[in-house]
Every structure is written in structure tokens, then in C-alpha cells.
């Protein structure tokens, strides 16, 4: 038996964390049980009830947590997603499970018609997908998964197989989606950015004629409170944008509904989307070096993208990055969403930008550490703020995880420790909720949510490693508070 077969054959041994003893009561065990319950055999659903298929950026975040339980499953998670990649390089935001009934989720495969409408863009014939994308966190996830078990990764040729697909994904974004000509990737639908219902999209969406209410059925309202979900009017606009993009053959550029020229449509440069692309470019550079190729060109590209991000989306008056609406005079959208803080993840930001972002994060608009327990998704002082409505105020665990990484990147250890403690405590206390009230920590949306459990596992693992190295320092093992620490030096992201 060769080495790969031997490692694969040991999967049941690696899976012991998925079948913990019945008496296990630790947060780590509870998080592992969520991921096991959401596992389908080849990938992990975000939520069994609300999101019963594979979602793109969910799977990337889930793989980051899975790597601590089963590196093989983490690799499989990403491989399953990338197997549905289109010929033009795009990674679709949903890969549909054919065993799930069509009416379990809308828009369903018969809406997207990927294999026919997407034929010209190289949509796969053997699997049904959506035709839009989500934030490109995948290369970062793949690198972290590789580092969790390099022996297994090399034996299976994991990086050698996913690297070309990830490189093609980045080429698609950097060339086909640079609709503004300034070097940044553009999203053509709010669902692509991931923060679907953010007030940042209100002005661009107001130009879109909604699809008639009778033309679609909202499956999401069967699993969540209507007052916490997008309105019917906004949902109708989402459907119209997606249908127009589909009917144009999922073509990008000036002629398609997402193109920057012409009237109507939706074309926005988003700071979080591009920050994750930059972070993943750095990860691709490390992968290239691991595979024996120089990564200098990719690091240089990441630096150029960082400069473009600052030039096009930084707004000193707001104290953060803003979205740029390419269809409304190519101007910034004056709304403060958590997306504008995510570039803190990047090591190459100018020092003054970092200093200002840190002030905004803890200031009156987001209140972290003073008024809020996790980072709210929208400006606390904004007219559209709602602590429970989807992406219009509630705090999400993936954005807080990204900002915890950003705080460590820039040497803010105490603030990072406090945010990590809040994530660990609230994730477990809410049954791994989809999102929470930023003031009270009350659970909102689905529970048993995939990326909440996975990212809590990741932070739990990091904390455990720190406590092993430095007993008595850092965050308490319960994740409910912090100990005094005099080490304020730069941490590794």
C-alpha cells in the first residue's frame, strides 16, 4: 500500500474528534459535534435547515476549523468546492446537492440553470451550481489546511492539485472583474460580497427594478423571523439582478448587467472582498514557494493591490474603507459597514491607515470593547442600524475572526485576546448561532452554524497552544475573560 493509501485508510483514527464520548461537555467537543452534524460526506453545509447545500466562503472558513480535527476532511472540503469551478476560473457561490429537494432553498438549481446558461463561461456539466461568486478566502484556507498536516498534504499532492485552480480563480477576479479599471475586483450582486443585506447596498439596489413577488418563493422565511430577514422588496431586487446576469450568459464586462458601463445594474468595489483577495494572494505566494516556484511576483501583486485598495476605497473622513459604486459616477458609498474594517487583516497597510482603523473599531460607530461584545456588521449610529436584521447591525463570527487576525497582525495583542474571548464565549453560549445581537449577545438566525463552530475551534486551538507555551498568561481557558499580560509585542497573524 502506498503512502497516500495508508494515510487515507487511517481516516477513522483522525475522525475520533467527530464522535466524542457522550460525557464530553467542553466547547471544543460541542463545536466538533456541529461540524459532524453538518457533514454530508464530501462537504459541510452551513446549516441543515436554512442552507442545505455547499456555500463557497462558508466552506473556506469551515476548512480552517476542520484542519484541527481532520486535515483530510479539511482538504476534501476545499477539493469538493474547487471541483465545481467553471472554465473561466470562477468558483461558484453555491454547489448544489442533488439529493436536496428543489423547494428546500431558493434560488434553486432550476433558477440558475448553470449547465445551460453558463455553458459559454465553462460551467461544469456534471454538477449544478449558482453563477455568481463569493469572497476569495479559499487560498488562505488552503494554505492553513496544508500547514496543519504538511506530511498528509504532500503525500496526497493537495497543494499541487488546488494551486492551479486557485490561480485561475484569482486570474478571473483580477481580469474579468476589474470593471472599474483601477486594479480591484468588483462584485455584481450583493450575494457575491457575502454581507447580503448590508445598508451599503441600499443606494445601488434602489436602481434595480425588483422581480415580481409571484415569480419566486422565499424558503428562508420558513426558518427565520421575517423581521430579521431581508425585505420582500430587496429580495425581489436580488432575484432580478441574478436573473439578468443568468440571461446574459453570466458574462462579465460592459455588456452584462454587472458591467461598469451602461445604465442600471450593480457593480461595486468592496473593501472586504478585495482584502481577502490580497490575503489569498500572499497565501498563493507561500504555496508557490512550497511547490518549488518563486512567489515574489504574487507578493508584489498583493502589494500593488493593497496600494490600489487604499487609493480607491480609503476615506479619511469616515476613518475606514468604503465601497465604490461604479454605476453612480464611480463614487464612494457613504455607509460604514464592517466590510470597511476587514482590510486591517493586511500587513502592508500604511501606518496611519492602521492607526485610524483601530480608532474606528473601538469608537462610537462600532464600539468594540466599550459598547459591543463582537464587531457589529453596520454603523451603530447609522439610520439603518438594526441589531437583529440580517447584516444591518448584528455581529457575525467570521468577521470578528478576521478582525481578531487583523488585530494580531498589527501587534494589538490585548484587544485581540479580548475579541477572541468574546467569540469563544458567545459561540458556545448561543449554540453556535449564525449571528448575534452586538449589544447583548442574543442568538439570531440559525443555530448549529458551520463557520461559527469551525472558527471557534480555530481560536480554541490557538488559545490552547498559547497556554501550553505560556501557562498563566493570555486569555482564560474558559474564553470568558482576560488575564493581565505585559507582552504587547507583535503577534504572528
Amino acid at each position: 500500500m502506498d503512502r497516500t493509501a495508508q494515510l487515507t485508510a487511517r481516516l477513522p483514527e483522525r475522525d475520533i474528534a467527530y464522535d466524542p464520548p457522550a460525557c464530553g461537555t467542553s466547547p471544543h467537543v460541542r463545536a466538533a459535534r456541529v461540524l459532524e452534524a453538518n457533514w454530508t460526506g464530501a462537504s459541510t453545509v452551513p446549516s441543515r435547515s436554512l442552507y442545505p447545500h455547499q456555500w463557497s466562503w462558508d466552506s473556506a472558513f469551515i476548512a480552517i476549523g476542520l484542519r484541527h480535527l481532520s486535515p483530510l476532511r479539511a482538504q476534501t472540503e476545499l477539493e469538493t468546492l474547487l471541483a465545481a469551478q467553471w472554465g473561466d476560473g470562477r468558483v461558484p457561490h453555491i454547489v448544489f446537492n442533488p439529493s436536496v429537494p428543489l423547494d428546500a432553498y431558493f434560488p434553486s438549481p432550476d433558477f440558475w440553470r448553470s449547465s445551460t446558461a453558463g455553458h459559454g463561461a465553462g460551467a461544469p456539466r456534471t454538477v449544478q451550481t449558482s453563477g455568481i461568486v463569493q469572497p476569495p478566502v479559499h487560498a488562505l484556507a488552503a494554505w492553513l489546511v496544508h500547514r496543519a498536516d504538511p506530511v498528509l498534504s504532500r503525500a496526497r499532492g493537495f497543494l499541487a492539485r488546488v494551486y492551479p485552480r486557485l490561480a485561475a480563480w484569482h486570474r478571473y477576479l483580477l481580469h474579468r472583474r476589474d470593471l472599474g479599471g483601477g486594479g480591484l475586483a468588483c462584485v455584481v450582486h450583493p450575494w457575491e460580497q457575502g454581507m447580503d443585506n448590508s445598508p451599503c447596498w441600499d443606494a445601488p439596489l434602489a436602481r434595480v427594478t425588483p422581480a415580481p413577488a409571484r415569480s419566486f418563493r422565499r424558503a428562508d422565511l420558513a426558518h427565520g423571523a421575517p423581521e430579521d430577514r431581508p425585505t420582500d422588496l430587496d429580495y425581489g431586487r436580488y432575484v432580478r439582478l441574478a436573473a439578468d446576469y443568468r440571461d446574459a450568459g453570466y458574462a462579465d464586462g460592459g455588456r452584462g448587467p454587472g458591467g461598469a458601463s451602461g445604465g442600471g445594474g450593480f457593480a461595486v468595489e468592496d473593501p472586504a472582498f478585495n482584502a481577502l483577495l490580497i490575503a489569498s494572494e500572499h497565501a498563493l505566494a507561500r504555496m508557490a514557494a512550497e511547490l518549488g516556484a518563486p512567489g515574489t511576483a504574487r507578493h508584489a501583486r498583493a502589494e500593488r493591490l493593497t496600494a490600489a485598495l487604499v487609493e480607491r476605497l480609503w476615506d479619511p473622513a469616515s476613518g475606514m474603507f468604503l465601497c465604490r459604486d461604479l454605476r453612480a459616477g464611480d463614487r464612494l458609498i457613504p455607509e460604514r459597514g464592517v466590510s470597511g474594517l476587514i482590510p486591517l487583516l493586511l500587513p502592508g497597510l500604511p501606518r496611519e491607515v492602521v492607526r485610524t482603523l483601530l480608532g474606528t473599531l473601538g469608537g462610537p460607530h462600532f464600539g468594540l470593547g466599550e459598547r459591543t461584545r463582537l464587531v457589529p456588521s453596520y454603523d451603530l449610529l447609522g439610520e439603518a442600524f438594526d441589531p437583529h436584521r440580517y447584516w444591518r447591525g448584528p455581529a457575525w463570527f467570521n468577521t470578528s475572526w478576521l478582525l481578531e487576525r487583523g488585530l494580531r497582525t498589527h501587534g494589538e495583542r490585548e484587544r485581540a485576546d479580548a475579541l477572541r474571548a468574546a467569540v469563544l464565549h458567545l459561540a458556545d453560549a448561543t449554540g453556535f448561532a449564525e449571528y448575534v445581537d452586538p449589544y447583548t449577545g442574543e442568538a439570531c438566525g440559525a443555530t448549529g452554524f458551520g463557520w461559527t463552530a469551525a472558527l471557534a475551534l480555530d481560536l480554541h486551538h490557538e488559545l490552547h497552544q498559547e497556554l501550553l507555551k505560556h501557562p498563566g498568561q493570555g486569555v482564560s481557558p474558559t474564553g470568558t475573560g482576560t488575564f493581565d499580560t505585559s507582552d504587547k509585542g507583535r503577534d504572528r497573524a
Side-chain angles (χ1 to χ4, degrees), residues 393-427:
W396 291 69
F397 291 91
N398 66 326
T399 52
S400 286
W401 181 87
L402 289 168
L403 287 167
E404 193 268 356
R405 299 289 80 198
L407 289 168
R408 293 196 189 282
T409 295
H410 297 287
E412 295 288 323
R413 176 172 176 171
E414 288 188 3
R415 296 178 73 177
D417 284 350
L419 182 52
R420 178 175 63 188
V423 168
L424 289 172
H425 173 66
L426 288 173

Side-chain angles (χ1 to χ4, degrees), residues 71-132:
L72 180 56
R73 280 201 181 183
Q75 292 176 29
T76 301
E77 184 81 37
L78 296 173
E79 290 165 349
T80 301
L81 177 69
L82 292 173
Q85 185 173 27
W86 290 27
D88 64 3
R90 81 182 74 194
V91 176
H93 99 294
I94 303 175
V95 180
F96 289 105
N97 183 343
S99 67
V100 173
L102 284 179
D103 62 358
Y105 182 80
F106 180 85
S108 52
D110 57 345
F111 171 89
W112 295 104
R113 306 172 205 158
S114 60
S115 59
T116 54
H119 175 72
R125 292 183 176 276
T126 57
V127 62
Q128 293 296 311
T129 76
S130 66
I132 59 175

Side-chain angles (χ1 to χ4, degrees), residues 250-273:
Y250 297 111
D252 297 306
R255 292 184 179 272
S261 62
F266 186 100
V268 175
E269 292 174 353
D270 173 75
F273 193 99

Side-chain angles (χ1 to χ4, degrees), residues 5 27 31 61 81 128 154 156 171 221 241 249 254 279 290 316 342 381 423 438 450 454 478:
F61 286 122
L81 177 69
Q128 293 296 311
R154 292 167 188 147
R156 296 187 68 244
R171 281 195 302 272
L221 296 182
L241 279 174
E290 170 70 20
I342 300 301
L381 305 181
V423 168
T478 62

Side-chain angles (χ1 to χ4, degrees), residues 432-449:
F432 303 97
E434 185 178 2
Y435 51 99
V436 299
D437 183 309
Y439 291 122
T440 68
E442 176 189 349
C444 302
T447 54
F449 201 72

Side-chain angles (χ1 to χ4, degrees), residues 57-58 60-61 64 134-141 169-170 173-174 184-185 192-195 270-284 302 305-306 309 339 341-346 398-399 401-403 405 451:
W57 75 325
D58 289 77
F61 286 122
I64 289 170
Q134 276 191 323
V137 68
H138 312 89
L140 176 60
W169 168 220
H170 285 210
L173 293 173
L174 292 169
L184 299 182
E192 292 198 313
Q193 194 270 352
M195 303 175 192
D270 173 75
F273 193 99
N274 282 281
L276 291 172
L277 176 59
I278 294 166
S280 282
E281 270 293 306
H282 283 302
L284 277 181
L305 286 168
T306 301
L309 183 73
S339 171
L341 300 172
I342 300 301
L344 192 64
L345 183 70
L346 304 175
N398 66 326
T399 52
W401 181 87
L402 289 168
L403 287 167
R405 299 289 80 198
W451 76 27

Side-chain angles (χ1 to χ4, degrees), residues 196-262:
D196 312 359
N197 196 37
S198 170
C200 297
W201 315 136
D202 288 355
L205 279 176
R207 300 191 297 267
V208 178
T209 302
R214 64 182 180 276
S215 66
F216 60 90
R217 185 189 69 81
R218 295 185 59 179
D220 64 316
L221 296 182
H223 304 286
E227 62 271 18
D228 291 350
R229 305 294 297 175
T231 65
D232 286 343
L233 179 62
D234 282 338
Y235 212 90
R237 288 169 169 150
Y238 301 153
V239 172
R240 171 71 70 185
L241 279 174
D244 286 351
Y245 192 40
R246 175 201 65 203
D247 294 344
Y250 297 111
D252 297 306
R255 292 184 179 272
S261 62

